Amino acid sequence: MMKTVLIAGGGIAGMAAGFAVTRAGWQPTVFERAAEFSEVGAGVQLGPNVTRILRAWGLGDALTQVAAFPAGLHARSMSTGEVLATLPLKDAATTYGAPYVTIHRADLHGLLLQAAAHQGVQVHSDAVVQRVQQTPDDVTLEVTQNGQLQHKHADFAVVADGVWSPLRQQLLGDGLPTFTGHIAYRALVAQAELPAHLRSQDVSVWMGSQAHVVSYPIRGGEYLNVVCLAEGRLLDDDANHLQALQTWNAQKSEAQTLAELHHALRGACTPLTDLMAACSDWRLWPLCGRPVMQGAHQHVQGRVALVGDAAHPMLPYLAQGAGMAIEDAYELAAQLLGGTPMNVPARLQKFAHARWQRNARVQARAVRNGQIFHATGPMRLGRDMGLRMMGARLMDMPWLYGARL
């Protein structure tokens, strides 16, 4: 018996879902809006909760070929450069049974795309999913491909088309995402081009006032991913322009970007300002999001499952956006294993109830981390004192890294 699924979105969430459900005995077809897959975004951190899944999927060796394995995560003061506390990431494999890695987003996507193709997942690019419809027995996606509107039918569908998902709007009708007031400035720099004292194979989080900087190695350690996350504003025209809010790779003039970074990093220590000065070709990412998940209905509607950012946009302050999408895919496949077209709705409900509370907790913790990273006044003093006293115990998250799905 053929068991079919249609997946809207060919990013990390969509490709992970396609690969996972194939292993569970379903035949997926993925529709990706972009005309071709390209390198989007920059670095991604994957905790042991995620690399454990990739290993279980047989992708551990492929991950090792493209990832970096930082030994520690250092929480630093932006103003002084002091290391307030260090979480020994090298111990993750012993403590949680899987490593902590850092990787270029395109390398992670490429790994999943290749694995999915090897499993026989059909992927169609330049295919825009316009609408989803369903009956008690099946689902239909309206897809525009090669200028033609087509109707695709299957037993169920997965919505994985990101934070701006138009399909979510049809299913839940809860409005558009909103701009958080935070902007990520991203750059990649070859480590060989940096002075020796600025090179690093570890993760550093430099915490300041209303801003922080994260840096870590990617592509086997050959490049350093540098991100400044600052509370700021877009140009007045941009704040009301959806296209400006939806882009990952916006660019302002070099002079304007440098002026904004200079303002965000006012009072920063010399090592950090030197690192930022060594970077160029800055790309801007306006952070948009939604309120924390409120229930299982935001994951599943009938025969349609929402995964990744379409269901639960994650601010990057816990480094779990890609991770939660991969966890969604793993749980979805686990619930569908042995399922039939007839019992899909019940299986999807089990998936939704297994996932929504954990995703809500991660969303809320990411928001809280943003407040902590950007703390001012007494809260900042308390944060720094707590890190100095408790160190790794304060930074470690067994509830997150140790969860076994």
Side-chain angles (χ1 to χ4, degrees):
M1 176 178 59
M2 184 176 294
K3 302 188 294 185
T4 57
V5 53
L6 303 174
I7 300 176
I12 289 172
M15 296 316 305
F19 174 75
V21 300
T22 303
R23 288 165 52 87
W26 294 77
Q27 296 183 345
T29 302
V30 178
F31 299 100
E32 166 55 35
R33 174 183 297 267
E36 60 183 26
F37 293 109
S38 59
E39 295 189 2
V40 178
V44 175
Q45 300 181 60
L46 300 178
N49 55 307
V50 188
T51 58
R52 186 183 304 115
I53 292 173
L54 296 177
R55 284 183 165 187
W57 284 346
L59 303 178
D61 290 343
L63 181 68
T64 299
Q65 296 299 314
V66 293
F69 293 76
L73 189 161
H74 310 293
R76 297 175 179 267
S77 165
M78 181 184 289
S79 59
T80 67
E82 174 193 358
V83 176
L84 302 169
T86 294
L87 177 65
L89 299 179
K90 65 180 184 299
D91 295 341
T94 300
T95 304
Y96 297 115
Y100 192 108
V101 308
T102 50
I103 185 173
H104 195 290
R105 179 178 291 272
D107 292 338
L108 175 59
H109 182 264
L111 183 156
L112 292 169
L113 179 61
Q114 183 176 10
H118 188 263
Q119 289 285 337
V121 177
Q122 297 183 46
V123 181
H124 299 279
S125 57
D126 199 15
V128 181
V129 180
Q130 306 279 12
R131 189 169 185 82
V132 58
Q133 297 176 315
Q134 60 178 313
T135 71
D137 300 316
D138 66 3
V139 296
T140 300
L141 294 188
E142 295 181 7
V143 183
T144 299
Q145 190 173 12
N146 300 321
Q148 295 184 340
L149 180 63
Q150 304 173 31
H151 292 82
K152 305 290 185 178
H153 308 279
D155 297 311
F156 77 100
V158 176
V159 172
D161 53 352
V163 63
W164 293 95
S165 169
L167 300 184
R168 178 186 174 121
Q169 301 307 305
Q170 296 170 27
L171 292 163
L172 300 180
D174 57 354
L176 294 172
T178 56
F179 178 50
T180 63
H182 293 203
I183 302 173
Y185 300 80
R186 309 187 325 272
L188 292 178
V189 58
Q191 301 250 32
E193 297 176 2
L194 291 172
H197 71 284
L198 295 180
R199 299 172 191 169
S200 178
Q201 294 298 325
D202 284 347
V203 181
S204 286
V205 180
W206 312 71
M207 297 178 292
S209 174
Q210 297 181 306
H212 76 285
V213 174
V214 181
S215 63
Y216 53 83
I218 60 173
R219 297 204 150 152
E222 293 185 5
Y223 284 81
L224 196 66
N225 183 63
V226 182
V227 186
C228 174
L229 298 115
E231 298 177 27
R233 67 180 183 87
L234 298 170
L235 297 175
D236 291 338
D237 290 342
D238 288 346
N240 297 307
H241 195 273
L242 283 179
Q243 185 175 357
L245 290 175
Q246 291 176 9
T247 183
W248 279 74
N249 283 309
Q251 281 188 295
K252 297 183 180 180
S253 69
E254 182 179 2
Q256 186 172 9
T257 299
L258 293 178
E260 292 177 6
L261 286 171
H262 180 75
H263 176 74
L265 301 177
R266 58 195 181 280
C269 62
T270 299
L272 180 56
T273 56
D274 286 349
L275 175 60
M276 302 298 282
C279 298
S280 60
D281 193 28
W282 291 95
R283 302 300 176 107
L284 279 61
W285 172 27
L287 301 184
C288 298
R290 295 182 176 278
V292 170
M293 291 191 84
Q294 297 298 307
H297 69 284
Q298 292 173 310
H299 254 315
V300 167
Q301 291 283 309
R303 287 180 174 267
V304 182
L306 294 89
V307 300
D309 283 348
H312 44 72
M314 298 280 173
L315 292 177
Y317 303 137
L318 195 60
Q320 284 289 326
M324 290 301 104
I326 290 171
E327 283 195 8
D328 283 349
Y330 184 87
E331 183 65 37
L332 181 64
Q335 295 296 345
L336 289 169
L337 184 64
T340 67
M342 185 176 297
N343 65 21
V344 158
R347 297 292 184 113
L348 293 184
Q349 282 299 319
K350 289 183 178 181
F351 156 76
H353 285 281
R355 288 297 301 159
W356 83 266
Q357 289 176 307
R358 177 167 169 84
N359 281 320
R361 183 177 184 182
V362 173
Q363 283 179 300
R365 181 60 181 265
V367 172
R368 178 60 175 163
N369 273 8
Q371 297 168 345
I372 293 171
F373 292 168
H374 295 184
T376 60
M379 185 177 177
R380 180 180 181 180
L381 294 175
R383 174 201 68 198
D384 292 356
M385 183 178 298
L387 285 168
R388 290 190 188 99
M389 293 177 61
M390 298 183 65
R393 287 178 297 167
L394 194 62
M395 299 170 68
D396 199 7
M397 291 177 286
W399 66 270
L400 176 61
Y401 299 144
R404 293 190 178 272
L405 303 181

